[in-house]
Amino acid sequence: MRLLSIILITAIALLFPCKFSNASVSDLHGVETPADTQESAVRDLIIRTIGEDASKHFVVYVDKTMPLRSFQIKKTEASTLSIVGSDGVSVAKGFHHYLKYYLQKHIDWTHTKVELQLPIQLPNVTIFSKSASRFIYYQNVCTWSYSFAWWSFPIWRRHIDWMAMMGITLTLAPIQEYIWHDIYVEMGLTKDEIDEHFAGAAFQAWQRMGNIRGWGGPIPHSYRRMQKVLQQRILKAERDLGMRVALPAFAGHVPVAMARIFPNITFTPVERWNHFPDKYCCGLFLDPSEPLFRQIAVKFLNKTIETYGSDNIYFCDPFNEIQPRLATADYMNATAFHIHESMRLVDDSAVWLLQGWMFVKNMFWTDDLIEAFLLAVPLGEMLVLDLQSEQFPQYERTHSFHGQPFIWCMLHNFGGTLGMHGSVDIINTNVRLARNMINSSMVGVGITAEGINQNYVMYELALERGWLLDDFDLNDWFETYADVRYSIRDVRLHSAWQLLRQSVYSYKGLLKLRGKYCIARRPSINLSPWVWYNTTNVSNAWAQMIAVLGNTTIPQYNRPFATHDLVDLTRQFLQITFDQLYVNLMTAYRSKNMEKYVYIVDKMLEALNDLETILATNMEFSLSRWLEAAKILGRTPVEKQLYEMNARNQITAWGPNGQIVDYATKQWSGIVIDYYRPRWVLFLKMLQKSLEHNEKFNEEAFKRTVSEEIENPFSISTKVYPTEPVGDTLTVAKQIFHKWTTYTDDSRFKKYCNKPIRIVYVNI
Ligand SMILES: *[C@@H]1O[C@H](CO)[C@@H](O)[C@H](O)[C@H]1NC(C)=O
Ligand SMILES: *[C@@H]1O[C@H](CO)[C@@H](O)[C@H](O)[C@H]1NC(C)=O
Ligand SMILES: *[C@@H]1O[C@H](CO)[C@@H](O)[C@H](O)[C@H]1NC(C)=O
Ligand SMILES: *[C@@H]1O[C@H](CO)[C@@H](O)[C@H](O)[C@H]1NC(C)=O
Ligand SMILES: *[C@@H]1O[C@H](CO)[C@@H](O)[C@H](O)[C@H]1NC(C)=O
Ligand SMILES: *[C@@H]1O[C@H](CO)[C@@H](O)[C@H](O)[C@H]1NC(C)=O
Ligand SMILES: *[C@@H]1O[C@H](CO)[C@@H](O)[C@H](O)[C@H]1NC(C)=O
Ligand SMILES: *[C@@H]1O[C@H](CO)[C@@H](O)[C@H](O)[C@H]1NC(C)=O
């Protein structure tokens, strides 16, 4: 182990010799935040987490002379534990390590408050731990729209505490509209031109990247001001804890009105993205080699730094899902060179944080073009996020990004959809393999989910794995996860989590997972559901969970975790069941077996009802939480309605007319009853009619009707949903369990629903 770390350090040293006059990734050590500020920030974090009284047992220090990203835990007196770290985040990480592994207390995205019984029994341990990753990274530009769109500072406060306790040292701050507004006004754009440019509150991420414009807008200026202040508070909280935050830089995307102001400059219209109509697409791209690019870039970065301060790291992606104008190495070199130069004009220590996503499965990016793009910037002055290393890693193909440092990221989730899945073995093993590659330029591990609040286990695993040098014993890791999450040791819970680990969480394939299971998809006769695991494992895990919760008392503090997981497992069971019903429905339809058809339709509608019922028992699976958070941001009824439309549209039609329908679909109560169920009812009726009249099913007519009558109206509805849970999770889960056990044991079910879901096991 020691040998490995020596090799690693030597490899990094070889890669980043001190040949640059400018700063580089290897100089991005700690932030400037003084040790005592970080100390008091982490002290406050501990108070928020365990309360004032319990916090007195923890003495924390930040010692910047300690090895980078390390902590030391010691029991100094009978009732005092000392945690010293190289920075606030490392102390918080050490604190969480002790909390999890010695006090058996769990935190997650939604719960970061822990109750400790006083006086605390503090196990005497002496631990020194140093992160194997220089950076532990979190966030995706899309997370800000899919998950954070409506967050206020108190939610951020809790989230930043979670980030620190997970050891996250590098993150993003993409809010930039207030600054752009100033610049556009200064350049002479009219209010209308500006309003046509900025996208709505739920769609900012894609407008920032140049994919769309205007959709969901216009945004009131007060909203931009509010966002600016919010981001200032977020940044302060993150930096106080010792995190480093990447700020946006100019990538070349400008409003269409720029062509009016600069008639003599050639702008390239961005190609249409996902069939968005002209009104909402095809903004302009300004080539970074144009002198105007430099002017705008410098002005923007200058204002950004004045507004938000700087940690010398800036992100920008000129070609995210956008095809470059020219496929030549010269063009790639010039583009990347000038983007980086424009950063350096403002900050000569600038490091460019780049998403490697554009290289993934894109024929355009030949090896030569990638190399020209990456090497246009001095080695070490670019930091690449290998965005989905668990499925489509680019570090091998690009020979470790030709020496540019990179972060191994787990993307895992698109659009914040639900559905259990993950690749635990790949994460466990490949982090090590990537670090140990010859000439590896890997400098960290990260999570880059487009949306959060699903599959919590995966994120905890990936972040912990990032800190460590060696692989986990996954068996042990999952067992501890179950013990700590529910605060009881029970073999049935161990077994449930091992079943999940070996099924839903064992994905190794190359088919893309996009969270669109039949239940949550626009119905069609051409769906082709598939699974990569033995679905019996999931039902068995569900049964175990119900049994445990039925006859064991879970401590109060842990109950929300247990009920959350029970809802999720019940949801997963119904999702799978619905896929299977669909598969058999189609055999009934094709063989024109009306009796079978009617039987299955009945079961499908029941599955939809059951899904709504179980989700409604827990607010974490509710539409109302999302909608209420959006509405609260509006100061007038008109604004409230606009934000509600944004919130609803993003998770359903995604666009004025279903442009990327269901991409960010959510299995939430409220959506099931008013969106999924009506769609299926309509489909099943139309399909039945075609069966009765022996006519071909008119898929096009169905698409038109479902879009006009259900999908698009859902976006503009203002129906209010319950803000409190309805029903008791365990009772409802048990009812659903017994009902479906009875069905599946029934001879008619066995006869009519015997075709399994297609299984795609891929061994790589
Ligand atoms: C903890 O254990 C160490 C090593 O056994 C011992 O030296 C130290 O005195 C103990 N600390 C306390 C507070 O019990
Ligand atoms: C554009 O170019 C023309 C011809 O060279 C020149 O007359 C005009 O002043 C230029 N306009 C601007 C806005 O630079
Ligand atoms: C921004 O520009 C102003 C005026 O030119 C200058 O005084 C200031 O130092 C610049 N700030 C940064 C962060 O470059
Ligand atoms: C890349 O572009 C810059 C700026 O035009 C130039 O100085 C450099 O020589 C180019 N590098 C290569 C490899 O073409
Ligand atoms: C590693 O880097 C060295 C020095 O640049 C080079 O000679 C060697 O070929 C590289 N090895 C591989 C496997 O890329
Ligand atoms: C799935 O697992 C169950 C229980 O372990 C087993 O009985 C069944 O044969 C498995 N099915 C397949 C297709 O592997
Ligand atoms: C889960 O399913 C897989 C695939 O059929 C099977 O190999 C494995 O044994 C099952 N796990 C358990 C614990 O039954
Ligand atoms: C709970 O159920 C399990 C399995 O049926 C049984 O072994 C256990 O004794 C029960 N525990 C309690 C507290 O009833």
Side-chain angles (χ1 to χ4, degrees):
M1 191 168 124
R2 181 164 306 152
L3 187 65
L4 271 183
S5 47
I6 291 169
I7 293 172
L8 209 76
I9 290 161
T10 316
I12 290 169
L14 281 175
L15 269 162
F16 309 118
C18 305
K19 65 176 180 192
F20 316 115
S21 53
N22 299 304
S24 66
V25 167
S26 45
D27 298 313
L28 294 180
H29 284 319
V31 282
E32 306 303 314
T33 314
D36 56 349
T37 307
Q38 299 191 44
E39 249 168 48
S40 85
V42 74
R43 223 170 267 136
D44 291 345
L45 176 154
I46 293 176
I47 293 172
R48 282 189 296 272
T49 308
I50 58 175
E52 186 91 49
D53 289 342
S55 76
K56 292 188 180 122
H57 297 276
F58 295 85
V59 181
V60 298
Y61 302 101
V62 167
D63 176 356
K64 287 191 175 186
T65 66
M66 276 176 78
L68 186 72
R69 310 279 176 237
S70 66
F71 64 79
Q72 180 162 40
I73 301 181
K74 257 193 207 150
K75 191 161 174 182
T76 43
E77 290 164 44
S79 62
T80 312
L81 199 82
S82 126
I83 309 174
V84 193
S86 56
D87 53 289
V89 167
S90 298
V91 175
K93 165 81 188 175
F95 170 68
H96 176 248
H97 180 81
Y98 191 78
L99 212 53
K100 175 174 179 184
Y101 289 101
Y102 297 94
L103 299 177
Q104 277 76 43
K105 290 293 176 190
H106 184 69
I107 56 158
D108 74 9
W109 272 321
T110 35
H111 302 91
T112 50
K113 265 191 171 36
V114 173
E115 264 171 51
L116 292 175
Q117 221 136 44
L118 294 171
I120 313 172
Q121 298 305 313
L122 295 169
N124 182 5
V125 293
T126 304
I127 302 171
F128 173 78
S129 176
K130 174 169 165 21
S131 176
S133 292
R134 205 131 50 82
F135 297 94
I136 296 198
Y137 173 82
Y138 168 46
Q139 284 181 17
N140 179 312
V141 286
C142 301
T143 331
W144 284 74
S145 291
Y146 284 135
S147 295
F148 311 153
W150 318 115
W151 284 11
S152 56
F153 189 69
I155 301 178
W156 270 108
R157 174 81 275 170
R158 200 171 64 195
H159 198 63
I160 294 164
D161 286 351
W162 173 85
M163 286 163 63
M165 287 190 268
M166 293 293 135
I168 288 154
T169 60
L170 178 63
T171 185
L172 294 178
I175 291 172
Q176 52 193 275
E177 286 65 32
Y178 186 89
I179 291 170
W180 279 122
H181 180 266
D182 273 2
I183 293 175
Y184 296 153
V185 169
E186 202 179 300
M187 291 180 107
L189 267 73
T190 65
K191 180 172 184 308
D192 284 352
E193 286 169 339
I194 292 174
D195 282 347
E196 280 166 19
H197 177 69
F198 287 124
F203 300 99
Q204 291 181 311
W206 302 278
Q207 178 247 299
R208 288 170 188 153
M209 289 185 281
N211 305 126
I212 55 170
R213 65 192 178 96
W215 171 239
I219 282 286
H221 195 53
S222 59
Y223 181 85
R224 290 189 275 266
R225 194 175 310 115
M226 183 272 294
Q227 278 201 308
K228 177 186 87 170
V229 174
L230 175 66
Q231 181 156 287
Q232 285 170 331
R233 297 182 74 186
I234 294 169
L235 274 159
K236 175 162 181 359
E238 290 171 343
R239 287 184 180 136
D240 280 357
L241 282 160
M243 286 176 205
R244 197 172 272 276
V245 190
L247 293 171
F250 182 49
H253 302 289
V254 293
V256 288
M258 284 290 189
R260 174 180 72 74
I261 293 172
F262 300 102
N264 290 356
I265 288 181
T266 317
F267 295 95
T268 315
V270 169
E271 72 189 280
R272 196 180 302 280
W273 187 74
N274 286 308
H275 310 289
F276 269 77
D278 291 352
K279 183 170 181 216
Y280 300 120
C281 85
C282 317
L284 301 177
F285 181 68
L286 173 59
D287 257 348
S289 44
E290 287 280 350
L292 179 62
F293 178 95
R294 177 177 302 191
Q295 278 173 34
I296 298 177
V298 167
K299 193 175 286 191
F300 175 66
L301 198 56
N302 177 303
K303 277 181 192 281
T304 299
I305 294 172
E306 297 204 327
T307 311
Y308 298 117
S310 165
D311 300 322
N312 312 110
I313 180 157
Y314 310 97
F315 70 93
C316 94
D317 297 289
F319 304 127
N320 180 67
E321 298 184 12
I322 287 172
Q323 216 72 331
R325 184 165 65 84
L326 293 171
T328 65
D330 279 349
Y331 180 67
M332 288 310 148
N333 170 59
T335 301
F337 177 88
H338 288 289
I339 287 178
H340 181 249
E341 268 305 293
S342 75
M343 294 177 186
R344 283 197 37 207
L345 286 172
V346 185
D347 174 357
D348 64 1
S349 303
V351 167
W352 175 4
L353 183 71
L354 177 85
Q355 298 186 53
W357 187 242
M358 60 185 176
F359 306 141
V360 176
K361 284 184 152 308
N362 183 341
M363 300 288 282
F364 175 92
W365 286 97
T366 59
D367 293 343
D368 290 349
L369 295 186
I370 294 177
E371 185 170 356
F373 190 92
L374 293 172
L375 292 184
V377 175
L379 278 192
E381 290 179 41
M382 186 186 257
L383 176 56
V384 184
L385 299 174
D386 195 2
L387 219 63
Q388 197 182 12
S389 299
E390 82 279 27
Q391 195 176 23
F392 301 115
Q394 302 296 302
Y395 53 81
E396 286 167 336
R397 168 193 181 197
T398 58
H399 310 285
S400 223
F401 295 96
H402 298 286
Q404 294 289 18
F406 78 93
I407 297 182
W408 196 104
C409 298
M410 173 183 89
L411 204 167
H412 182 271
N413 179 278
F414 292 85
T417 56
L418 277 84
M420 292 180 160
H421 74 92
S423 305
V424 292
D425 301 288
I426 290 178
I427 285 148
N428 199 29
T429 313
N430 289 14
V431 164
R432 170 175 46 83
L433 295 179
R435 273 194 194 121
N436 295 348
M437 268 184 319
I438 295 171
N439 294 350
S440 177
S441 57
M442 175 172 155
V443 293
V445 172
I447 53 169
T448 45
E450 285 189 354
I452 61 166
N453 293 117
Q454 34 70 36
N455 294 290
Y456 290 42
V457 67
M458 291 308 302
Y459 297 89
E460 186 167 324
L461 179 91
L463 289 170
E464 269 186 44
R465 181 66 191 82
W467 182 278
L468 296 179
L469 200 54
D470 297 321
D471 300 3
F472 288 120
D473 176 327
L474 286 173
N475 212 61
D476 286 355
W477 195 89
F478 270 76
E479 202 165 301
T480 305
Y481 182 79
D483 288 347
V484 177
R485 189 159 165 89
Y486 311 118
S487 222
I488 47 169
R489 277 187 73 83
D490 190 308
V491 289
R492 292 168 298 176
L493 290 174
H494 294 165
S495 147
W497 276 97
Q498 297 302 349
L499 284 165
L500 294 176
R501 169 166 85 82
Q502 287 164 15
S503 55
V504 286
Y505 294 122
S506 69
Y507 186 53
K508 295 195 175 86
L510 289 177
L511 287 177
K512 291 181 187 173
L513 294 172
R514 290 294 186 273
K516 290 208 247 176
Y517 307 97
C518 285
I519 207 157
R521 290 187 70 161
R522 179 190 278 174
S524 157
I525 55 170
N526 299 315
L527 303 181
S528 179
W530 60 283
V531 286
W532 59 94
Y533 54 87
N534 182 337
T535 56
T536 310
N537 282 358
V538 177
S539 340
N540 289 346
W542 184 41
Q544 306 263 30
M545 193 82 178
I546 289 178
V548 178
L549 298 187
N551 82 348
T552 315
T553 308
I554 306 247
Q556 182 78 31
Y557 167 73
N558 301 79
R559 265 179 237 162
F561 303 128
T563 47
H564 172 280
D565 294 350
L566 182 55
V567 172
D568 205 28
L569 265 168
T570 311
R571 184 204 54 67
Q572 185 75 15
F573 168 80
L574 291 167
Q575 170 193 303
I576 294 168
T577 301
F578 197 87
D579 278 356
Q580 193 179 343
L581 289 168
Y582 171 84
V583 167
N584 288 284
L585 179 87
M586 293 321 296
T587 64
Y589 171 71
R590 296 206 174 97
S591 62
K592 304 191 195 303
N593 182 340
M594 189 56 101
E595 189 192 313
K596 175 171 170 178
Y597 183 89
V598 171
Y599 176 87
I600 297 175
V601 165
D602 183 56
K603 295 290 167 291
M604 287 173 93
L605 297 181
E606 219 156 323
L608 280 156
N609 291 344
D610 289 345
L611 183 60
E612 172 71 20
T613 312
I614 189 71
L615 297 173
T617 66
N618 190 308
M619 294 316 287
E620 285 168 43
F621 295 88
S622 75
L623 173 61
S624 89
R625 185 175 276 198
W626 175 250
L627 295 186
E628 294 308 315
K631 284 188 266 180
I632 257 180
L633 294 186
R635 298 163 314 161
T636 63
V638 172
E639 282 182 17
K640 283 182 193 297
Q641 215 168 330
L642 180 66
Y643 297 151
E644 178 168 9
M645 189 284 280
N646 269 263
R648 285 170 171 266
N649 182 265
Q650 184 210 70
I651 57 179
T652 54
W654 215 130
N657 192 25
Q659 272 69 13
I660 30 180
V661 65
D662 300 322
Y663 177 85
T665 186
K666 302 287 179 304
Q667 294 182 44
W668 285 347
S669 73
I671 301 184
V672 179
I673 202 70
D674 285 334
Y675 183 81
Y676 298 159
R677 194 177 189 282
R679 283 203 305 203
W680 279 101
V681 167
L682 179 71
F683 172 79
L684 294 168
K685 272 197 192 133
M686 285 176 76
L687 193 61
Q688 183 161 345
K689 215 172 257 171
S690 84
L691 201 53
E692 279 164 2
H693 298 156
N694 209 10
E695 286 165 2
K696 196 169 171 286
F697 178 67
N698 189 340
E699 183 106 16
E700 284 310 311
F702 169 72
K703 273 192 204 165
R704 259 196 319 277
T705 314
V706 78
S707 164
E708 281 166 16
E709 290 179 7
I710 296 158
E711 288 166 357
N712 290 345
F714 185 86
S715 289
I716 50 173
S717 163
T718 52
K719 181 175 165 187
V720 175
Y721 294 90
T723 51
E724 293 294 329
V726 180
D728 169 65
T729 301
L730 181 60
T731 312
V732 172
K734 271 184 180 162
Q735 280 162 0
I736 295 175
F737 181 81
H738 289 306
K739 181 203 272 185
W740 287 92
T741 313
T742 313
Y743 288 160
T744 48
D745 286 347
D746 181 75
S747 60
R748 274 220 293 174
F749 192 97
K750 285 190 176 138
K751 180 170 145 212
Y752 285 152
C753 302
N754 56 3
K755 189 174 173 193
I757 310 172
R758 188 164 59 103
I759 298 194
V760 185
Y761 290 124
V762 190
N763 298 312
I764 55 168

